[in-house]
Amino acid sequence: MDVMRQEKSCGAVIFRGEDTRRDYLVLHSTQGHWTLCKGHVEGDETERETAAREIREETALSVDFLDGFRAVITYSPRPGVSKDVVFFLARLAGGTLSCQPEEVAQARFLPFEEALALLTHPSDREVLQKARAFLEGR
C-alpha cells in the first residue's frame, strides 16, 4: 500500500476596515485562479510564522493575527498527496500592496460578496464565510 505524502501550507484571510465596511484580500494566481494568501511551511516555522512570511512575500503587507480563528482545508492536490492548508484571520497592519510577480498576477481588497464571488475554489469560499462569521460574532 502506498503511503500518502503529507504537505502543509498556511495562510490567512486578510481584511481591512471595520464592521460594516470591511474589505477582504483576494489574490489572482499566475496559474489563473482566485485564491486566499497562503504558502508552504519551510523548515521548523510555526503555522503563524509561515502565514506571515507568505503574506509578506506575496503581497508585501504586514498583518496582525486575531486569536481564536483557525480553519483547516484538507485536499489532494495530486495522486498520492494529502495537503492541509491552515488559515488564520488577520487584520492589515501596514505595508503597500505589491504582488510577487512569480506567483501573484493581481491582488484586490474587495467587499465580502465580491471577494466571495471571485474565489475559484469552494473550500476558499467556505473559509472566507467562516472568517466573516467569526468577525461578526466577536
Side-chain angles (χ1 to χ4, degrees):
M1 185 182 127
D2 288 339
V3 176
M4 290 288 271
R5 199 160 69 81
Q6 290 292 322
E7 291 184 1
K8 186 175 189 178
S9 287
C10 301
V13 174
I14 302 164
F15 70 95
R16 66 179 183 195
E18 287 301 327
D19 302 335
T20 54
R21 295 207 34 89
R22 226 181 254 127
D23 290 328
Y24 298 87
L25 183 65
V26 291
L27 305 182
H28 192 211
S29 151
T30 52
Q31 295 163 3
H33 52 268
W34 286 92
T35 185
L36 300 168
C37 194
K38 64 184 181 295
H40 288 279
V41 175
E42 291 180 4
D44 57 0
E45 286 177 324
T46 66
E47 291 176 346
R48 281 194 179 186
E49 284 169 350
T50 297
R53 177 183 50 75
E54 285 293 337
I55 292 163
R56 221 171 26 249
E57 287 176 0
E58 292 186 356
T59 68
L61 299 174
S62 60
V63 299
D64 293 323
F65 293 104
L66 277 66
D67 289 332
F69 184 89
R70 182 178 180 275
V72 183
I73 296 169
T74 302
Y75 70 102
S76 178
R78 55 198 169 277
V81 177
S82 175
K83 182 170 184 173
D84 286 340
V85 184
V86 178
F87 286 102
F88 296 103
L89 181 57
R91 179 191 307 274
L92 177 65
T96 302
L97 185 57
S98 169
C99 298
Q100 180 184 24
E102 302 79 24
E103 294 193 28
V104 183
Q106 58 176 304
R108 292 190 201 154
F109 275 99
L110 296 170
F112 174 77
E113 297 297 342
E114 290 176 48
L116 191 67
L118 261 187
L119 289 171
T120 303
H121 301 294
S123 55
D124 284 352
R125 290 197 291 271
E126 193 179 309
V127 168
L128 180 60
Q129 288 169 317
K130 284 180 182 171
R132 181 191 189 204
F134 178 87
L135 285 168
E136 290 182 347
R138 284 192 306 159

